[in-house]
Amino acid sequence: MTMAVMPGQVVAETPRLCLHAMSDRNDDDAALMLALLNDPGFIRHIADRGVRTLNQARAYLRDGALRSYAEHGFGMYAVRRKDTGALIGNCGLVRREGLDGPDLGYALLPMHVGQGFAHEAAQAVIADAATRLRLGRLQAIVNPDNVASIGLLQKLGFEFDKMIVLPHIEHSLDLFHLPLPKEASA
């Protein structure tokens, strides 16, 4: 059984980034989520979650990431730049109704897009999924018109599987999958 991640725990590091489990008690994490959830790109490509205040962002973290950490040992993690200390987005795994396994998710604040941060963070999450979580594969869903996200998934090695409709989402999505390497037995 996988150990739950604790809020604030560093889950992965890359040369430029640090990914940590978010907390509803951390004002910076709540402010990050509030900014992400109200970014026009997030609303267009992912969804409008109706989160408009810091208290709603804290509740969103409790009901989402924190619950997922406890139940699954993974969730969405805050992404922090090592050079500036700025929180720039989130990246992690989600256990979504209608899918038979975890899927990779990511979102960056607009000023940090196009600099390779999403790719770097996603690679760290994929590595954690293969090693600590010992998962055999990951999935990813994306709106068919989100060309940048589809390109990132393909760069990460994900392959298109099929179009799907998930519960509580009113339109079809592209489903991608990525087989993960099996670790050598000790």
Side-chain angles (χ1 to χ4, degrees), residues 3 25 35 45 73 77 111 114 157 170 176 184:
M3 292 275 293
R25 296 181 180 173
H45 292 297
Y77 309 117
M111 68 174 57
E170 298 175 4
F176 287 78

Side-chain angles (χ1 to χ4, degrees), residues 162-174:
K162 61 186 173 185
M163 297 286 295
I164 61 166
V165 176
L166 293 177
H168 315 294
I169 299 177
E170 298 175 4
H171 57 277
S172 296
L173 300 166
D174 287 349

Side-chain angles (χ1 to χ4, degrees), residues 76-113:
M76 294 299 289
Y77 309 117
V79 178
R80 181 182 302 275
R81 286 180 63 160
K82 287 181 176 179
D83 61 350
T84 65
L87 289 173
I88 65 169
N90 68 3
C91 185
L93 301 177
V94 178
R95 194 66 181 93
R96 198 178 307 273
E97 184 181 355
L99 293 179
D100 63 359
D103 72 285
L104 177 70
Y106 44 83
L108 294 181
L109 294 171
M111 68 174 57
H112 303 284
V113 171

Side-chain angles (χ1 to χ4, degrees), residues 126-141:
I126 292 167
D128 181 60
T131 56
R132 180 179 66 88
L133 298 171
R134 299 179 189 270
L135 298 175
R137 75 180 177 117
L138 292 177
Q139 299 175 88
I141 56 171

Side-chain angles (χ1 to χ4, degrees), residues 22-90:
M22 292 185 277
S23 170
D24 61 331
R25 296 181 180 173
N26 181 323
D27 288 341
D28 290 342
D29 289 346
L32 169 66
M33 288 312 302
L34 183 62
L36 279 174
L37 294 170
N38 286 285
D39 172 60
F42 186 100
I43 291 170
R44 178 171 174 251
H45 292 297
I46 300 171
D48 184 351
R49 304 286 190 218
V51 173
R52 303 292 184 256
T53 68
L54 274 177
N55 282 338
Q56 289 174 330
R58 286 184 189 94
Y60 183 85
L61 284 170
R62 272 191 303 278
D63 295 340
L66 287 148
R67 178 176 289 156
S68 184
Y69 301 155
E71 291 178 5
H72 306 296
F74 58 76
M76 294 299 289
Y77 309 117
V79 178
R80 181 182 302 275
R81 286 180 63 160
K82 287 181 176 179
D83 61 350
T84 65
L87 289 173
I88 65 169
N90 68 3

